[in-house]
PDB file of all heavy atoms in Angstrom:
ATOM      1  N   ASP O 207       5.562  21.473  -9.410  1.00 90.00           N
ATOM      2  CA  ASP O 207       6.834  21.026  -8.950  1.00 90.00           C
ATOM      3  C   ASP O 207       7.089  19.690  -9.531  1.00 90.00           C
ATOM      4  O   ASP O 207       8.334  19.358  -9.932  1.00 90.00           O
ATOM      5  CB  ASP O 207       6.801  20.912  -7.393  1.00 90.00           C
ATOM      6  CG  ASP O 207       6.884  22.193  -6.739  1.00 90.00           C
ATOM      7  OD1 ASP O 207       7.976  22.721  -6.596  1.00 90.00           O
ATOM      8  OD2 ASP O 207       5.832  22.720  -6.339  1.00 90.00           O
ATOM      9  N   ILE O 208       6.156  18.795  -9.557  1.00 88.00           N
ATOM     10  CA  ILE O 208       6.322  17.428 -10.179  1.00 88.00           C
ATOM     11  C   ILE O 208       6.656  17.626 -11.691  1.00 88.00           C
ATOM     12  O   ILE O 208       7.661  16.972 -12.234  1.00 88.00           O
ATOM     13  CB  ILE O 208       5.104  16.549 -10.011  1.00 88.00           C
ATOM     14  CG1 ILE O 208       4.615  16.586  -8.552  1.00 88.00           C
ATOM     15  CG2 ILE O 208       5.474  15.122 -10.514  1.00 88.00           C
ATOM     16  CD1 ILE O 208       3.369  15.803  -8.371  1.00 88.00           C
ATOM     17  N   ARG O 209       5.928  18.439 -12.366  1.00 86.00           N
ATOM     18  CA  ARG O 209       6.197  18.696 -13.809  1.00 86.00           C
ATOM     19  C   ARG O 209       7.660  19.180 -14.010  1.00 86.00           C
ATOM     20  O   ARG O 209       8.337  18.731 -14.971  1.00 86.00           O
ATOM     21  CB  ARG O 209       5.184  19.614 -14.353  1.00 86.00           C
ATOM     22  CG  ARG O 209       5.416  19.996 -15.842  1.00 86.00           C
ATOM     23  CD  ARG O 209       4.365  21.039 -16.222  1.00 86.00           C
ATOM     24  NE  ARG O 209       4.435  22.270 -15.533  1.00 86.00           N
ATOM     25  CZ  ARG O 209       5.341  23.178 -15.723  1.00 86.00           C
ATOM     26  NH1 ARG O 209       6.307  23.014 -16.562  1.00 86.00           N
ATOM     27  NH2 ARG O 209       5.371  24.321 -14.960  1.00 86.00           N
ATOM     28  N   ILE O 210       7.937  20.210 -13.223  1.00 90.00           N
ATOM     29  CA  ILE O 210       9.321  20.852 -13.436  1.00 90.00           C
ATOM     30  C   ILE O 210      10.435  19.767 -13.097  1.00 90.00           C
ATOM     31  O   ILE O 210      11.354  19.661 -13.849  1.00 90.00           O
ATOM     32  CB  ILE O 210       9.453  22.026 -12.452  1.00 90.00           C
ATOM     33  CG1 ILE O 210       8.567  23.128 -13.001  1.00 90.00           C
ATOM     34  CG2 ILE O 210      10.832  22.569 -12.456  1.00 90.00           C
ATOM     35  CD1 ILE O 210       8.443  24.221 -12.029  1.00 90.00           C
ATOM     36  N   ARG O 211      10.305  19.001 -12.080  1.00 91.00           N
ATOM     37  CA  ARG O 211      11.334  18.082 -11.818  1.00 91.00           C
ATOM     38  C   ARG O 211      11.461  16.939 -12.804  1.00 91.00           C
ATOM     39  O   ARG O 211      12.581  16.531 -13.132  1.00 91.00           O
ATOM     40  CB  ARG O 211      11.084  17.486 -10.375  1.00 91.00           C
ATOM     41  CG  ARG O 211      11.454  18.270  -9.210  1.00 91.00           C
ATOM     42  CD  ARG O 211      12.951  18.530  -9.204  1.00 91.00           C
ATOM     43  NE  ARG O 211      13.456  19.423  -8.138  1.00 91.00           N
ATOM     44  CZ  ARG O 211      14.636  19.780  -7.954  1.00 91.00           C
ATOM     45  NH1 ARG O 211      15.541  19.522  -8.895  1.00 91.00           N
ATOM     46  NH2 ARG O 211      14.946  20.644  -6.934  1.00 91.00           N
ATOM     47  N   ARG O 212      10.387  16.413 -13.355  1.00 86.00           N
ATOM     48  CA  ARG O 212      10.339  15.417 -14.385  1.00 86.00           C
ATOM     49  C   ARG O 212      11.105  16.041 -15.637  1.00 86.00           C
ATOM     50  O   ARG O 212      11.856  15.321 -16.285  1.00 86.00           O
ATOM     51  CB  ARG O 212       8.978  14.899 -14.702  1.00 86.00           C
ATOM     52  CG  ARG O 212       8.412  14.106 -13.534  1.00 86.00           C
ATOM     53  CD  ARG O 212       7.489  13.065 -14.114  1.00 86.00           C
ATOM     54  NE  ARG O 212       6.680  12.391 -12.982  1.00 86.00           N
ATOM     55  CZ  ARG O 212       7.197  11.434 -12.204  1.00 86.00           C
ATOM     56  NH1 ARG O 212       8.464  11.147 -12.270  1.00 86.00           N
ATOM     57  NH2 ARG O 212       6.497  10.944 -11.138  1.00 86.00           N
ATOM     58  N   ALA O 213      10.721  17.348 -15.992  1.00 87.00           N
ATOM     59  CA  ALA O 213      11.370  17.953 -17.138  1.00 87.00           C
ATOM     60  C   ALA O 213      12.870  18.130 -16.997  1.00 87.00           C
ATOM     61  O   ALA O 213      13.621  17.892 -17.873  1.00 87.00           O
ATOM     62  CB  ALA O 213      10.667  19.331 -17.368  1.00 87.00           C
ATOM     63  N   MET O 214      13.282  18.449 -15.814  1.00 88.00           N
ATOM     64  CA  MET O 214      14.788  18.578 -15.517  1.00 88.00           C
ATOM     65  C   MET O 214      15.351  17.253 -15.696  1.00 88.00           C
ATOM     66  O   MET O 214      16.551  17.296 -16.160  1.00 88.00           O
ATOM     67  CB  MET O 214      14.901  19.051 -14.066  1.00 88.00           C
ATOM     68  CG  MET O 214      14.416  20.614 -13.848  1.00 88.00           C
ATOM     69  SD  MET O 214      14.571  21.070 -12.171  1.00 88.00           S
ATOM     70  CE  MET O 214      16.449  21.257 -12.098  1.00 88.00           C
ATOM     71  N   ILE O 215      14.800  16.211 -15.345  1.00 85.00           N
ATOM     72  CA  ILE O 215      15.443  14.866 -15.584  1.00 85.00           C
ATOM     73  C   ILE O 215      15.486  14.566 -17.016  1.00 85.00           C
ATOM     74  O   ILE O 215      16.633  14.223 -17.524  1.00 85.00           O
ATOM     75  CB  ILE O 215      14.669  13.812 -14.805  1.00 85.00           C
ATOM     76  CG1 ILE O 215      14.797  14.058 -13.218  1.00 85.00           C
ATOM     77  CG2 ILE O 215      15.266  12.330 -15.104  1.00 85.00           C
ATOM     78  CD1 ILE O 215      13.926  13.076 -12.398  1.00 85.00           C
ATOM     79  N   ASP O 216      14.372  14.691 -17.683  1.00 82.00           N
ATOM     80  CA  ASP O 216      14.229  14.323 -19.055  1.00 82.00           C
ATOM     81  C   ASP O 216      15.127  15.152 -20.091  1.00 82.00           C
ATOM     82  O   ASP O 216      15.530  14.723 -21.076  1.00 82.00           O
ATOM     83  CB  ASP O 216      12.838  14.278 -19.583  1.00 82.00           C
ATOM     84  CG  ASP O 216      11.981  13.189 -18.985  1.00 82.00           C
ATOM     85  OD1 ASP O 216      12.595  12.196 -18.604  1.00 82.00           O
ATOM     86  OD2 ASP O 216      10.769  13.320 -18.788  1.00 82.00           O
ATOM     87  N   GLU O 217      15.219  16.511 -19.613  1.00 78.00           N
ATOM     88  CA  GLU O 217      15.925  17.413 -20.475  1.00 78.00           C
ATOM     89  C   GLU O 217      17.434  17.587 -19.977  1.00 78.00           C
ATOM     90  O   GLU O 217      18.049  18.638 -20.327  1.00 78.00           O
ATOM     91  CB  GLU O 217      15.264  18.677 -20.502  1.00 78.00           C
ATOM     92  CG  GLU O 217      13.873  18.648 -21.093  1.00 78.00           C
ATOM     93  CD  GLU O 217      13.148  19.899 -20.907  1.00 78.00           C
ATOM     94  OE1 GLU O 217      13.600  20.838 -20.399  1.00 78.00           O
ATOM     95  OE2 GLU O 217      11.927  19.878 -21.329  1.00 78.00           O
ATOM     96  N   GLY O 218      17.947  16.582 -19.242  1.00 67.00           N
ATOM     97  CA  GLY O 218      19.296  16.670 -18.845  1.00 67.00           C
ATOM     98  C   GLY O 218      20.378  16.987 -19.975  1.00 67.00           C
ATOM     99  O   GLY O 218      20.081  16.435 -21.094  1.00 67.00           O
ATOM    100  N   ASN O 219      21.257  17.781 -19.805  1.00 48.00           N
ATOM    101  CA  ASN O 219      22.099  18.310 -20.911  1.00 48.00           C
ATOM    102  C   ASN O 219      23.204  17.239 -21.165  1.00 48.00           C
ATOM    103  O   ASN O 219      24.277  17.113 -20.434  1.00 48.00           O
ATOM    104  CB  ASN O 219      22.850  19.531 -20.463  1.00 48.00           C
ATOM    105  CG  ASN O 219      23.360  20.323 -21.541  1.00 48.00           C
ATOM    106  OD1 ASN O 219      23.944  19.754 -22.641  1.00 48.00           O
ATOM    107  ND2 ASN O 219      23.385  21.621 -21.463  1.00 48.00           N
ATOM    108  N   ALA O 220      23.069  16.527 -22.297  1.00 40.00           N
ATOM    109  CA  ALA O 220      23.909  15.514 -22.740  1.00 40.00           C
ATOM    110  C   ALA O 220      25.250  16.074 -23.133  1.00 40.00           C
ATOM    111  O   ALA O 220      26.381  15.516 -23.055  1.00 40.00           O
ATOM    112  CB  ALA O 220      23.364  14.671 -23.828  1.00 40.00           C
ATOM    113  N   ALA O 221      25.123  17.364 -23.645  1.00 40.00           N
ATOM    114  CA  ALA O 221      26.386  18.019 -24.183  1.00 40.00           C
ATOM    115  C   ALA O 221      27.420  18.265 -22.992  1.00 40.00           C
ATOM    116  O   ALA O 221      28.612  18.061 -23.067  1.00 40.00           O
ATOM    117  CB  ALA O 221      26.086  19.341 -24.774  1.00 40.00           C
ATOM    118  N   ASP O 222      26.880  18.734 -21.866  1.00 46.00           N
ATOM    119  CA  ASP O 222      27.654  18.921 -20.671  1.00 46.00           C
ATOM    120  C   ASP O 222      28.293  17.604 -20.234  1.00 46.00           C
ATOM    121  O   ASP O 222      29.433  17.596 -19.807  1.00 46.00           O
ATOM    122  CB  ASP O 222      26.879  19.528 -19.600  1.00 46.00           C
ATOM    123  CG  ASP O 222      26.559  21.040 -19.797  1.00 46.00           C
ATOM    124  OD1 ASP O 222      27.228  21.529 -20.776  1.00 46.00           O
ATOM    125  OD2 ASP O 222      25.741  21.647 -19.166  1.00 46.00           O
ATOM    126  N   ALA O 223      27.495  16.527 -20.238  1.00 45.00           N
ATOM    127  CA  ALA O 223      27.955  15.251 -19.831  1.00 45.00           C
ATOM    128  C   ALA O 223      29.102  14.776 -20.757  1.00 45.00           C
ATOM    129  O   ALA O 223      30.066  14.198 -20.271  1.00 45.00           O
ATOM    130  CB  ALA O 223      26.839  14.276 -19.813  1.00 45.00           C
ATOM    131  N   GLN O 224      28.912  15.055 -22.017  1.00 43.00           N
ATOM    132  CA  GLN O 224      29.993  14.693 -22.934  1.00 43.00           C
ATOM    133  C   GLN O 224      31.312  15.348 -22.678  1.00 43.00           C
ATOM    134  O   GLN O 224      32.332  14.793 -22.819  1.00 43.00           O
ATOM    135  CB  GLN O 224      29.531  15.080 -24.400  1.00 43.00           C
ATOM    136  CG  GLN O 224      30.553  14.652 -25.472  1.00 43.00           C
ATOM    137  CD  GLN O 224      30.600  13.068 -25.669  1.00 43.00           C
ATOM    138  OE1 GLN O 224      29.625  12.559 -25.836  1.00 43.00           O
ATOM    139  NE2 GLN O 224      31.781  12.559 -25.611  1.00 43.00           N
ATOM    140  N   LYS O 225      31.155  16.601 -22.218  1.00 43.00           N
ATOM    141  CA  LYS O 225      32.375  17.310 -21.853  1.00 43.00           C
ATOM    142  C   LYS O 225      33.097  16.716 -20.612  1.00 43.00           C
ATOM    143  O   LYS O 225      34.304  16.708 -20.525  1.00 43.00           O
ATOM    144  CB  LYS O 225      32.046  18.832 -21.623  1.00 43.00           C
ATOM    145  CG  LYS O 225      31.695  19.574 -22.794  1.00 43.00           C
ATOM    146  CD  LYS O 225      31.222  20.995 -22.416  1.00 43.00           C
ATOM    147  CE  LYS O 225      30.615  21.727 -23.663  1.00 43.00           C
ATOM    148  NZ  LYS O 225      30.071  23.109 -23.211  1.00 43.00           N
ATOM    149  N   ARG O 226      32.216  16.168 -19.690  1.00 45.00           N
ATOM    150  CA  ARG O 226      32.754  15.683 -18.411  1.00 45.00           C
ATOM    151  C   ARG O 226      33.582  14.386 -18.731  1.00 45.00           C
ATOM    152  O   ARG O 226      34.526  14.077 -18.042  1.00 45.00           O
ATOM    153  CB  ARG O 226      31.612  15.401 -17.469  1.00 45.00           C
ATOM    154  CG  ARG O 226      30.998  16.779 -16.908  1.00 45.00           C
ATOM    155  CD  ARG O 226      30.344  16.472 -15.633  1.00 45.00           C
ATOM    156  NE  ARG O 226      29.342  15.425 -15.760  1.00 45.00           N
ATOM    157  CZ  ARG O 226      28.017  15.602 -16.024  1.00 45.00           C
ATOM    158  NH1 ARG O 226      27.530  16.780 -16.239  1.00 45.00           N
ATOM    159  NH2 ARG O 226      27.148  14.569 -16.080  1.00 45.00           N
ATOM    160  N   ILE O 227      32.995  13.493 -19.580  1.00 42.00           N
ATOM    161  CA  ILE O 227      33.666  12.194 -19.731  1.00 42.00           C
ATOM    162  C   ILE O 227      33.403  11.689 -21.167  1.00 42.00           C
ATOM    163  O   ILE O 227      32.314  11.718 -21.751  1.00 42.00           O
ATOM    164  CB  ILE O 227      33.101  11.185 -18.705  1.00 42.00           C
ATOM    165  CG1 ILE O 227      33.760   9.810 -18.914  1.00 42.00           C
ATOM    166  CG2 ILE O 227      31.608  11.047 -18.761  1.00 42.00           C
ATOM    167  CD1 ILE O 227      33.374   8.871 -17.769  1.00 42.00           C
ATOM    168  N   GLU O 228      34.399  11.144 -21.757  1.00 45.00           N
ATOM    169  CA  GLU O 228      34.116  10.449 -23.051  1.00 45.00           C
ATOM    170  C   GLU O 228      33.927   8.952 -22.782  1.00 45.00           C
ATOM    171  O   GLU O 228      34.635   8.233 -21.962  1.00 45.00           O
ATOM    172  CB  GLU O 228      35.522  10.504 -23.873  1.00 45.00           C
ATOM    173  CG  GLU O 228      35.869  11.955 -24.389  1.00 45.00           C
ATOM    174  CD  GLU O 228      34.867  12.457 -25.312  1.00 45.00           C
ATOM    175  OE1 GLU O 228      34.221  11.573 -26.048  1.00 45.00           O
ATOM    176  OE2 GLU O 228      34.593  13.718 -25.376  1.00 45.00           O
ATOM    177  N   HIS O 229      32.814   8.443 -23.344  1.00 47.00           N
ATOM    178  CA  HIS O 229      32.333   7.186 -22.938  1.00 47.00           C
ATOM    179  C   HIS O 229      31.668   6.549 -24.157  1.00 47.00           C
ATOM    180  O   HIS O 229      30.796   7.223 -24.818  1.00 47.00           O
ATOM    181  CB  HIS O 229      31.417   7.234 -21.747  1.00 47.00           C
ATOM    182  CG  HIS O 229      31.245   5.967 -21.085  1.00 47.00           C
ATOM    183  ND1 HIS O 229      30.643   4.834 -21.529  1.00 47.00           N
ATOM    184  CD2 HIS O 229      31.712   5.561 -19.863  1.00 47.00           C
ATOM    185  CE1 HIS O 229      30.678   3.805 -20.662  1.00 47.00           C
ATOM    186  NE2 HIS O 229      31.265   4.233 -19.579  1.00 47.00           N
ATOM    187  N   ARG O 230      32.016   5.348 -24.586  1.00 47.00           N
ATOM    188  CA  ARG O 230      31.375   4.774 -25.688  1.00 47.00           C
ATOM    189  C   ARG O 230      29.961   4.399 -25.526  1.00 47.00           C
ATOM    190  O   ARG O 230      29.165   4.485 -26.487  1.00 47.00           O
ATOM    191  CB  ARG O 230      32.169   3.362 -25.954  1.00 47.00           C
ATOM    192  CG  ARG O 230      33.595   3.597 -26.583  1.00 47.00           C
ATOM    193  CD  ARG O 230      34.096   2.210 -26.963  1.00 47.00           C
ATOM    194  NE  ARG O 230      34.124   1.312 -25.949  1.00 47.00           N
ATOM    195  CZ  ARG O 230      34.405  -0.006 -25.887  1.00 47.00           C
ATOM    196  NH1 ARG O 230      34.681  -0.479 -27.095  1.00 47.00           N
ATOM    197  NH2 ARG O 230      34.414  -0.775 -24.908  1.00 47.00           N
ATOM    198  N   ARG O 231      29.535   4.207 -24.366  1.00 51.00           N
ATOM    199  CA  ARG O 231      28.157   3.968 -24.039  1.00 51.00           C
ATOM    200  C   ARG O 231      27.510   5.134 -23.387  1.00 51.00           C
ATOM    201  O   ARG O 231      26.671   4.987 -22.407  1.00 51.00           O
ATOM    202  CB  ARG O 231      28.036   2.695 -23.220  1.00 51.00           C
ATOM    203  CG  ARG O 231      28.526   1.494 -23.959  1.00 51.00           C
ATOM    204  CD  ARG O 231      28.318   0.182 -23.085  1.00 51.00           C
ATOM    205  NE  ARG O 231      29.199   0.342 -21.801  1.00 51.00           N
ATOM    206  CZ  ARG O 231      28.630   0.388 -20.596  1.00 51.00           C
ATOM    207  NH1 ARG O 231      27.424   0.581 -20.421  1.00 51.00           N
ATOM    208  NH2 ARG O 231      29.466   0.474 -19.522  1.00 51.00           N
ATOM    209  N   LEU O 232      27.938   6.374 -23.746  1.00 55.00           N
ATOM    210  CA  LEU O 232      27.448   7.554 -23.087  1.00 55.00           C
ATOM    211  C   LEU O 232      25.881   7.673 -23.003  1.00 55.00           C
ATOM    212  O   LEU O 232      25.273   7.964 -22.029  1.00 55.00           O
ATOM    213  CB  LEU O 232      28.057   8.840 -23.555  1.00 55.00           C
ATOM    214  CG  LEU O 232      27.665  10.105 -22.973  1.00 55.00           C
ATOM    215  CD1 LEU O 232      28.095  10.160 -21.523  1.00 55.00           C
ATOM    216  CD2 LEU O 232      28.302  11.272 -23.701  1.00 55.00           C
ATOM    217  N   ASP O 233      25.317   7.431 -24.243  1.00 62.00           N
ATOM    218  CA  ASP O 233      23.871   7.618 -24.415  1.00 62.00           C
ATOM    219  C   ASP O 233      23.121   6.639 -23.535  1.00 62.00           C
ATOM    220  O   ASP O 233      22.157   6.989 -22.779  1.00 62.00           O
ATOM    221  CB  ASP O 233      23.452   7.480 -25.853  1.00 62.00           C
ATOM    222  CG  ASP O 233      23.868   8.562 -26.664  1.00 62.00           C
ATOM    223  OD1 ASP O 233      24.211   9.592 -26.105  1.00 62.00           O
ATOM    224  OD2 ASP O 233      23.934   8.371 -27.983  1.00 62.00           O
ATOM    225  N   ALA O 234      23.561   5.368 -23.542  1.00 62.00           N
ATOM    226  CA  ALA O 234      22.958   4.368 -22.635  1.00 62.00           C
ATOM    227  C   ALA O 234      23.056   4.635 -21.162  1.00 62.00           C
ATOM    228  O   ALA O 234      22.188   4.450 -20.414  1.00 62.00           O
ATOM    229  CB  ALA O 234      23.548   2.998 -22.998  1.00 62.00           C
ATOM    230  N   LEU O 235      24.290   5.271 -20.932  1.00 61.00           N
ATOM    231  CA  LEU O 235      24.627   5.633 -19.488  1.00 61.00           C
ATOM    232  C   LEU O 235      23.627   6.700 -18.957  1.00 61.00           C
ATOM    233  O   LEU O 235      23.065   6.563 -17.988  1.00 61.00           O
ATOM    234  CB  LEU O 235      26.048   6.076 -19.341  1.00 61.00           C
ATOM    235  CG  LEU O 235      26.511   6.358 -18.020  1.00 61.00           C
ATOM    236  CD1 LEU O 235      26.717   5.013 -17.173  1.00 61.00           C
ATOM    237  CD2 LEU O 235      27.888   7.019 -18.083  1.00 61.00           C
TER     238      LEU O 235
END
Side-chain angles (χ1 to χ4, degrees):
D207 285 278
I208 309 174
R209 177 184 59 80
I210 291 169
R211 280 298 180 187
R212 292 212 189 284
M214 290 176 71
I215 294 171
D216 289 334
E217 297 170 2
N219 195 327
D222 286 348
Q224 182 69 53
K225 293 174 186 175
R226 290 199 305 266
I227 180 172
E228 292 295 331
H229 199 290
R230 287 185 304 170
R231 295 182 297 110
L232 180 62
D233 290 340
L235 188 67

